[in-house]
């Protein structure tokens, strides 16, 4: 069993119970433990560095409150800063646009994009009483199109009929037109993923984005991919522009450090988290819960 971060920091500060203000040398020592905790949680290295620098700046010189020990005080400063960086409050998917509202799902293949599209469609249908249509733009993998259709049937959500040979931009436009004519509130567009980012993938997603002007562009990221996820997020964020992140596989044994990395790199909120393979396994993102999971 590992000691919790609070226990470790308690140990560092035990010797200086009555020191008044937090001293730089002790804060630095404490930050070494924080750094290890963040890296163990798979937070990306540059994000860890920035985090440590800003927490150190905030902590050094702070008067220790009478009611708490210096160790508890530092843990509180670290935790508060982490929650703040994770986004402080839950942000849900915005539908504040003229119907049908286009939602674009982007991300690498295997990240959980198609499953997440169906999970979101199910939530919007059941919780917000919206009429949702889903369309797959993955023209390279007929199996992916079929997968979305089957998921749609499972949750009672319409999918755009598949027309062989049509290109992604045309499918997206057809989905928007069909949804408008048939009175749908939301159109979920599931773009093709690749195993790695390449320019043809990005060019294609940009084409679709320009054609439908999505109200939400959600980047789907596997929380277990840790350090690699940062590069992916950076590229999608720079080249496509995203409005939020869906973090999948938070039911795995990872500590969820990717949440902090995603938020820091994209500047956009984590909107939902996937917590299992079933279509009801999706939750809102709660920064405080993830902060305590990251700190261990
Ligand atoms: P895509 O290639 O990005 O569209 O990925 P899929 O949606 O096909 O998902 C790939 C695999 O990950 C499937 O077996 C999903 O059931 C699984 N998956 C997706 N989201 C989650 C999640 O939040 N937790 C778990 N445990 N599995 C997930």
């Amino acid at each position: 069993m590992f000691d919790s971060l609070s226990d470790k920091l308690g140990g560092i500060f035990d010797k200086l119970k009555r020191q008044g203000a937090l001293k730089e040398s002790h804060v630095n020592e404490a930050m070494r433990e924080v750094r290890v905790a963040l890296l163990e949680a798979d937070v990306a290295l540059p994000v860890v560095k920035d985090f440590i620098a800003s927490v150190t700046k905030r902590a050094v010189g702070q008067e220790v409150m009478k009611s708490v020990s210096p160790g508890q005080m530092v843990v509180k400063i670290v935790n508060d800063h982490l929650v703040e960086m994770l986004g402080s409050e839950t942000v849900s998917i915005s539908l504040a646009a003229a119907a049908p509202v286009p939602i674009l799902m982007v991300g690498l293949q295997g990240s959980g994009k198609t499953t997440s599209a169906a999970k979101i469609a199910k939530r919007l249908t059941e919780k917000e009483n919206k009429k949702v249509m889903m369309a797959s733009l993955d023209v390279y993998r007929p199996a992916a199109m079929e997968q979305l259709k089957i998921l749609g049937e499972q949750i009672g959500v319409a999918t755009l009929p598949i027309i062989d040979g049509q290109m992604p931009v045309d499918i997206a436009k057809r989905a928007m037109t069909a949804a408008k004519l048939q009175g749908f509130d939301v159109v979920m567009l599931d773009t093709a993923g690749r195993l790695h980012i390449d320019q043809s993938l990005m060019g294609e997603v940009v084409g679709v984005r320009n054609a439908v002007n999505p109200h939400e562009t959600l980047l789907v990221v596997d929380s277990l991919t840790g350090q690699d996820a940062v590069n992916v997020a950076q590229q999608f964020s720079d080249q496509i522009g995203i409005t939020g992140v869906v973090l999948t596989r938070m039911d795995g044994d990872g500590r969820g450090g990717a949440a902090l990395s995603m938020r820091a790199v994209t500047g956009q909120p984590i909107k939902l988290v996937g917590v299992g393979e079933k279509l009801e396994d999706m939750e809102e993102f709660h920064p405080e819960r993830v902060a305590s999971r990251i700190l261990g």
Side-chain angles (χ1 to χ4, degrees), residues 116-213:
S116 298
K119 285 176 173 177
I120 292 172
K122 181 174 157 68
R123 281 176 78 90
L124 295 178
T125 306
E126 292 174 2
K127 295 198 173 161
E128 304 198 27
N129 214 9
K130 298 292 180 194
K131 201 175 161 197
V132 183
M133 175 188 276
M134 302 192 290
S136 171
L137 310 185
D138 195 344
V139 295
Y140 314 99
R141 291 190 309 148
M145 292 190 142
E146 198 57 32
Q147 183 194 355
L148 193 70
K149 183 170 164 236
I150 292 167
L151 292 174
E153 284 163 5
Q154 280 173 17
I155 54 176
V157 166
T159 45
L160 185 75
I162 299 167
I163 298 180
D164 286 338
Q166 203 168 31
M167 293 312 282
V169 169
D170 296 322
I171 301 174
K173 286 184 185 162
R174 179 162 61 90
M176 292 306 291
T177 308
K180 200 168 198 169
L181 287 173
Q182 295 169 34
F184 281 88
D185 301 306
V186 178
V187 177
M188 309 276 320
L189 297 167
D190 186 19
T191 60
R194 304 269 204 282
L195 292 175
H196 303 284
I197 287 185
D198 63 54
Q199 281 319 306
S200 74
L201 166 71
M202 286 299 180
E204 183 179 300
V205 181
V206 167
V208 172
R209 182 202 65 192
N210 294 346
V212 302
N213 190 19

Side-chain angles (χ1 to χ4, degrees), residues 108-115 119 141 147 248-249 251 274-277:
L108 292 187
Q109 190 176 314
S111 58
K113 199 159 31 64
T114 303
T115 312
K119 285 176 173 177
R141 291 190 309 148
Q147 183 194 355
T248 61
R249 297 206 181 84
D251 51 309
V275 291
E277 294 197 49

